[in-house]
Amino acid sequence: MKKTKRKIRLSKGERMLYTLGVMCFCLTIVIKVFSSAGISTLKMDIEKVSYKIENQEKKNQSLAMQVNELTSYENMSGVLKDMGLAYNNENIVVVK
């Protein structure tokens, strides 16, 4: 017994549906690759900006410490004595 091979014939509509299905699948893969590449570049940009922010915060903290050091009572009294002035606690105004 010989096995006969039958060719499966697809109609024009079926071929169009299969072609559209394959094209949609390929298009989905391409869109996913490009969108993930865009997302990764955005993440890198966010990391760069957060690194700059952290560095600036460290600089601000350092400068705040320097200001606190310069405005300490010991430093102020030394400057006042050098200028020949007296320290008067009643003239100090605290600003909040």
Side-chain angles (χ1 to χ4, degrees):
M1 279 197 242
K2 285 187 173 181
K3 290 185 179 179
T4 59
K5 291 185 179 179
R6 281 189 171 182
K7 281 192 169 181
I8 299 175
R9 298 219 176 216
L10 299 174
S11 68
K12 199 173 195 181
E14 289 175 335
R15 271 188 269 146
M16 186 184 304
L17 282 176
Y18 288 133
T19 304
L20 283 174
V22 170
M23 288 174 61
C24 287
F25 179 73
C26 293
L27 186 64
T28 303
I29 291 174
V30 169
I31 289 173
K32 184 170 180 163
V33 167
F34 280 112
S35 64
S36 64
I39 289 171
S40 65
T41 56
L42 286 176
K43 285 183 180 180
M44 286 175 42
D45 291 341
I46 289 171
E47 288 296 321
K48 287 178 185 176
V49 170
S50 66
Y51 178 74
K52 288 180 183 178
I53 289 171
E54 287 176 10
N55 283 341
Q56 189 62 42
E57 285 176 349
K58 288 178 184 176
K59 288 179 186 176
N60 290 348
Q61 286 178 350
S62 173
L63 292 173
M65 288 174 55
Q66 287 179 0
V67 166
N68 289 336
E69 184 179 308
L70 290 173
T71 58
S72 67
Y73 174 74
E74 293 83 19
N75 194 18
M76 293 289 284
S77 64
V79 171
L80 289 174
K81 286 180 184 177
D82 290 342
M83 299 176 101
L85 301 171
Y87 182 75
N88 188 356
N89 197 17
E90 294 173 3
N91 292 338
I92 295 176
V93 177
V94 177
V95 179
K96 292 182 182 181

